Amino acid sequence: MRISHRTQKGEEAYPTEIPQFGLGVFLMADDGDCKSSVLAALHAGYNHIDTASMYQNERDVGRALKETGIERSSVFITTKLRRGDAVGYEEAIEQCKKSLELLDTDYIDLYLVHAPPVDPEHRAPVWKAMEYCLEQGWVKSIGVSNYGVAHLDAMKKYANYMPSVNQVEYNPWLQRPHLKQATEDAGAKLMAYSPLARGKKVADPKLGEIAQRLNCTPAQVAIKFCYDQGCITIPKSSNPSRIVENIASLNIDISSEMDAIIALEENYVSGWDPTTEP
Ligand SMILES: NC(=O)c1ccc[n+]([C@@H]2O[C@H](COP(=O)([O-])OP(=O)(O)OC[C@H]3O[C@@H](n4cnc5c(N)ncnc54)[C@H](OP(=O)(O)O)[C@@H]3O)[C@@H](O)[C@H]2O)c1
C-alpha cells in the first residue's frame, strides 16, 4: 500500500510503500518472547513489525532482523515516540536517534507520535522534530497514533507535512467511521491496532457463528475485516501457530458476511482512547 504526506500546497511528499499487514509486538519482552515471535513471523512471511519505544523491545526487533539475515529493505519497521518523551523539539529528535540505535538500523520506515502530547503546547514542536527526522532521512515516513478528529484538524495549522498514517484502535466492535474519514481527508491511511480487541472479543458468539459459516477462525474474520476496510492491520501474537493463522486470514474471502461483521459494532474500546482528549 502506498502512503505519503500531504503538503500545505496539497502536494504529495515522501511517498513510500507500506506492507498492509504486520506483527504487533506490544507486551512482548526484550530477552523474552519478542525475538522468537519476530523470527516466527518473518519465517511465516510477515514483512512489517510494529514496535514502540514504550514497549521496550526495539533491541530485540533489531536482533531478530539481523539474525535472519533478511535484507533490511525487505522488512518494514514501524516504531513510536513514547508519549512521555513527546515534550519538545530536541527531546523528540533525541528519542528518534535512540530508537535507531536500539533497532540497530540506519533508518526507520515509519515513525509515529504514540499519542497526542499531553500538553497541547508540545504538539507543534514535536511534529516539527518528526519533520526534521524525515528530512534527514532517518525515517522514511512519519505519522501519528491515537489522534482524534480535532487533533488532526489542529495539525493543518502547524504541519508542513501532514501525517501519512494515523494508528488507532479499530476492529469489528469499534469501526470509527468519522475518524477513518477524517484520517483519509488528511491524506493519511488508518492503521488498525488491536484488531482482535486485545483478544477480549475473540470468543464473541456472533463472531464465532460468522467464522463457522466462512469455515475459518474467529480471529481470522476480525483481522480480514480490518484489512478489507483498507486499514494497515497489525495483530499481535506470541504464539507461533497463531502467528501463522493470522497471516493466513489474508487469503480468506469474507465478502459474503460483510453485513454481519459490520453489525458487530458496539463502540467498544479494549484499551485506552486518547483520541477524545482535548
Ligand atoms: N498505538 C497504540 O497506542 C497501540 C495500542 C495497542 C496496540 N498497538 C499495536 O497493535 C498491536 C496489536 O494490538 P494488541 O496487541 O493490543 O491486541 P490484538 O492484536 O487485538 O490482540 C492480541 C491478543 O489476542 C491474542 N491472539 C492473537 N492471535 C490470536 C488468534 N489467532 N486467536 C486467538 N487469540 C489470538 C493474543 O494472544 P497470544 O499472543 O497468546 O496469541 C493477545 O492476547 C500491538 O501489538 C501494538 O503493536 C498500538
Side-chain angles (χ1 to χ4, degrees), residues 45-57:
Y46 288 59
N47 58 358
H48 179 179
I49 309 295
D50 179 82
T51 180
S53 163
M54 196 200 101
Y55 306 165
Q56 299 186 354
N57 56 20

Side-chain angles (χ1 to χ4, degrees), residues 180-194:
K180 187 163 187 288
Q181 190 60 54
T183 296
E184 288 163 4
D185 289 348
K189 292 281 195 281
L190 197 127
M191 192 162 174
Y193 77 63
S194 305

Side-chain angles (χ1 to χ4, degrees), residues 24-26 50 55 80 114 145-146 167 193-199 202 219 234-239 242 245-246 272:
V25 299
F26 181 40
D50 179 82
Y55 306 165
K80 315 183 192 82
H114 205 138
S145 177
N146 295 301
Q167 183 184 117
Y193 77 63
S194 305
L196 304 171
R198 303 195 183 205
V202 180
I234 48 165
K236 175 263 172 187
S237 180
S238 308
N239 175 318
R242 285 177 177 171
E245 173 189 331
N246 293 350
W272 67 332

Side-chain angles (χ1 to χ4, degrees), residues 64-117:
L65 206 62
K66 284 268 149 64
E67 200 172 302
T68 58
I70 295 176
E71 262 183 60
R72 174 66 188 86
S73 59
S74 302
V75 180
F76 191 101
I77 300 179
T78 298
T79 192
K80 315 183 192 82
L81 172 67
R82 204 170 66 97
R83 196 179 206 190
D85 292 323
V87 292
Y89 182 83
E90 298 295 340
E91 290 85 346
I93 288 175
E94 270 320 297
Q95 291 305 318
C96 179
K97 289 183 184 166
K98 215 169 169 177
S99 286
L100 284 164
E101 204 180 303
L102 285 167
L103 287 161
D104 192 15
T105 181
D106 295 335
Y107 66 92
I108 290 160
D109 294 280
L110 173 62
Y111 195 42
L112 305 178
V113 183
H114 205 138

Side-chain angles (χ1 to χ4, degrees), residues 196-222:
L196 304 171
R198 303 195 183 205
K200 294 173 187 172
K201 286 286 190 181
V202 180
D204 179 333
K206 286 189 198 142
L207 180 70
E209 287 165 20
I210 296 167
Q212 220 163 22
R213 290 196 294 271
L214 288 169
N215 199 20
C216 66
T217 70
Q220 288 177 326
V221 175

